[in-house]
Amino acid sequence: NKLSNFTLYHAEKNEGMMLNGLTALKLCKGDYIAICEGDDYWTDDLKLEQQISLMLDNPNCTLTVHPCYFHKSETNKKSVGCYKGDDVLRFGSNDILKIPGQFAPTASYVIKRDVVDNLPPWYTKCPVGDFLIEMYSMKLGYGMYIPDIMCAYRIFSQKSWSDEMRKNDGLKMVSVGKSREEYIKHMEADSAFSQCDFTLVKSCILLSIAEGYLYCKNYKMFNKTITESYLAFHYSSKTQKWLYKLRDNPRLALLLLKFRKYICTLFKYK
């Protein structure tokens, strides 16, 4: 019976994305956990065999990842993302922190079960858990990258995280950004991350908050936050650069930001 390997967990009430996800991870009984959530999907029959074999050969490896296809649901077009070269690579915390966006797609994760037991108690209060899983995996060992593309991450799909964060909801962007700032403070206070440089990550978070303030037309806080982002780390993205240059002309900045959103929406269907 193929279904005998599946366990259905039915919560009595809506636990929210983070608590529900953590509950699912804690219900896993194996030594290794592979994650595939939402409408992402795996594309290689040998994916799990490759990743777990590599981890068995490297006992201190707590996380393996690989590139993905970015799959546009509306057009069925695919492009490659999170590609870091043709070789198997070993990486640590600071390698993750050097990437302004997500280091690896969630659907590529295979982690050791111990990582789940070592996630911080405030994990469920965070807006997303991908970054924390990556970083707390490094707390127990190191990660390894496999160059094969073995999963797909759907972008712009309805109700997905990427779709929700593109709806120009300024208040939500500020709220999510502030929450992310708090968990970075927790991590900086953790001695295990004392040698880590969070500067780029903090700059990117501030950029997101600045965009949120701009959509809310809170121009004073936009000016303050985009300046903080730029001073924290110059040129964390092209968006940061031109928003900083337009910090004293926020109405033009907002117009251009909305125009960029319009262009992204057009390409969503192309």
Side-chain angles (χ1 to χ4, degrees):
N1 185 351
K2 292 182 179 180
L3 294 179
S4 64
N5 292 325
F6 291 84
T7 300
L8 174 65
Y9 168 70
H10 180 73
E12 294 182 359
K13 61 179 182 179
N14 187 346
E15 297 180 334
M17 179 181 72
M18 293 299 290
L19 180 56
N20 185 66
L22 182 60
T23 301
L25 290 173
K26 287 186 174 181
L27 286 170
C28 296
K29 299 176 181 178
D31 294 329
Y32 300 94
I33 300 175
I35 301 176
C36 189
E37 60 185 11
D39 54 4
D40 300 339
Y41 57 95
W42 296 337
T43 60
D44 193 313
D45 291 340
L46 298 178
K47 168 188 158 64
L48 298 181
E49 181 179 339
Q50 282 197 62
Q51 291 182 261
I52 293 174
S53 294
L54 184 62
M55 296 176 85
L56 289 171
D57 291 339
N58 296 270
N60 292 324
C61 175
T62 52
L63 166 69
T64 52
V65 300
H66 54 74
C68 69
Y69 291 111
F70 287 135
H71 183 173
K72 286 187 179 181
S73 301
E74 289 81 0
T75 62
N76 213 32
K77 288 185 178 180
K78 297 178 183 178
S79 58
V80 176
C82 302
Y83 182 73
K84 307 179 195 309
D86 294 336
D87 300 320
V88 174
L89 302 174
R90 173 173 165 172
F91 62 87
S93 300
N94 278 315
D95 296 303
I96 295 171
L97 294 171
K98 289 176 183 176
I99 303 298
Q102 188 169 344
F103 180 78
T106 313
S108 77
Y109 293 178
V110 173
I111 60 174
K112 274 192 173 180
R113 177 65 176 73
D114 296 344
V115 173
V116 177
D117 297 326
N118 281 276
L119 290 172
W122 41 267
Y123 174 83
T124 56
K125 297 180 181 179
C126 300
V128 288
D130 319 63
F131 174 72
L132 296 176
I133 289 175
E134 291 176 356
M135 290 297 290
Y136 278 86
S137 294
M138 300 303 96
K139 190 174 180 179
L140 300 179
Y142 57 82
M144 296 193 76
Y145 160 86
I146 298 172
D148 298 336
I149 304 168
M150 297 186 286
C151 72
Y153 171 65
R154 293 185 192 268
I155 56 175
F156 301 123
S157 58
Q158 192 173 17
K159 297 297 182 181
S160 69
W161 174 260
S162 56
D163 186 57
E164 290 298 304
M165 291 306 291
R166 284 175 171 81
K167 289 185 176 178
N168 297 358
D169 186 342
L171 290 175
K172 184 172 183 178
M173 293 176 74
V174 172
S175 175
V176 168
K178 293 290 185 182
S179 178
R180 292 175 68 198
E181 282 188 316
E182 286 303 310
Y183 73 60
I184 293 298
K185 289 178 183 177
H186 284 301
M187 295 177 73
E188 288 183 311
D190 190 328
S191 59
F193 301 119
S194 60
Q195 301 301 311
C196 291
D197 183 1
F198 289 90
T199 307
L200 176 57
V201 173
K202 290 193 287 188
S203 175
C204 291
I205 293 172
L206 286 166
L207 171 60
S208 178
I209 295 173
E211 288 188 44
Y213 281 131
L214 190 56
Y215 281 124
C216 292
K217 297 184 180 180
N218 187 336
Y219 298 140
K220 181 178 179 180
M221 288 304 299
F222 159 70
N223 190 312
K224 177 178 181 294
T225 311
I226 193 62
T227 300
E228 290 175 350
S229 172
Y230 184 79
L231 293 178
F233 194 100
H234 292 3
Y235 203 65
S236 60
S237 73
K238 292 180 180 178
T239 301
Q240 182 215 51
K241 185 176 181 179
W242 62 260
L243 283 178
Y244 177 70
K245 287 184 175 181
L246 292 173
R247 65 191 183 281
D248 294 322
N249 193 348
R251 288 176 177 80
L252 177 58
L254 178 58
L255 181 64
L256 291 175
L257 202 59
K258 288 183 175 181
F259 179 72
R260 186 191 67 172
K261 199 313 185 135
Y262 172 73
I263 294 299
C264 288
T265 303
L266 285 181
F267 278 98
K268 174 179 177 180
Y269 299 102
K270 291 183 178 181

